[in-house]
Amino acid sequence: AGIRSLRDSFETMVPIELNIDQEVLALEKAGHSSIPEDVKLALYRVTEEALSNVVKHANASLVIIKLWASQGGKELCLSIKDDGCGFEPGAMKQNLGFVIIDDYLAALGGTCQMETAPGEGTKITATIPLQNRTTPGSNGLGADPADLTKGTQA
């Protein structure tokens, strides 16, 4: 539902095609989801940041968002592809938006691949495990609050 609402919000600025795999829809049954909340939040934030970048920088005429399950439902994959102006791949490491995307995914044991070139648009592909995640904190998005006080005693 979150990615759909983002599509609806951003579609006033750029046309967006959204494709959600049937297996993901099955994981998101009405009233009962087997997708952890921290994974949903990360996918939402990655999509939000990517769409913001498209609107600000890409001059795109179309964005295609795909969400699917892979590895027999053990991970979720999200791709966001635009047909905009693209940019030099080396510039990605300096872009705060891409750092934010990487951080959200890394906190959940996920990965991100970005493909771009001047005049070729940009494609971001994110993968997040649904099972056997090794997260650094209890909420999956940062340090465990109990860890924040370690090492501070005199």
Side-chain angles (χ1 to χ4, degrees):
I3 292 177
R4 286 188 185 103
S5 70
L6 285 172
R7 177 207 48 205
D8 295 345
S9 296
F10 280 89
E11 204 161 39
T12 62
M13 297 169 266
V14 62
I16 298 172
E17 180 182 312
L18 176 61
N19 299 306
I20 300 176
D21 183 83
Q22 290 298 319
E23 193 170 352
V24 173
L25 294 174
L27 291 170
E28 267 298 285
K29 293 177 194 159
H32 176 7
S33 174
S34 59
I35 301 173
E37 289 299 318
D38 55 354
V39 171
K40 289 183 199 179
L41 177 61
L43 291 171
Y44 180 90
R45 294 293 183 210
V46 167
T47 304
E48 180 180 48
E49 188 60 41
L51 289 175
S52 293
N53 283 339
V54 168
V55 168
K56 287 181 204 172
H57 307 293
N59 194 27
S61 62
L62 179 65
V63 176
I64 300 171
I65 301 172
K66 295 180 181 178
L67 181 62
W68 70 98
S70 68
Q71 302 293 322
K74 293 180 183 173
E75 62 185 24
L76 288 182
C77 301
L78 170 73
S79 73
I80 302 158
K81 181 176 179 7
D82 69 66
D83 66 352
C85 61
F87 53 92
E88 288 293 334
M92 287 189 289
K93 295 181 189 329
Q94 301 161 354
N95 180 299
L96 179 60
F98 291 122
V99 170
I100 290 169
I101 288 171
D102 265 345
D103 286 350
Y104 266 110
L105 295 170
L108 297 173
T111 60
C112 183
Q113 293 182 337
M114 295 180 214
E115 303 167 40
T116 188
E120 299 295 321
T122 302
K123 181 179 180 182
I124 297 171
T125 304
T127 303
I128 302 177
L130 291 175
Q131 301 171 347
N132 301 322
R133 290 186 289 142
T134 54
T135 56
S138 57
N139 66 1
L141 295 176
D144 185 330
D147 291 340
L148 298 178
T149 58
K150 289 183 182 174
T152 60
Q153 297 174 346

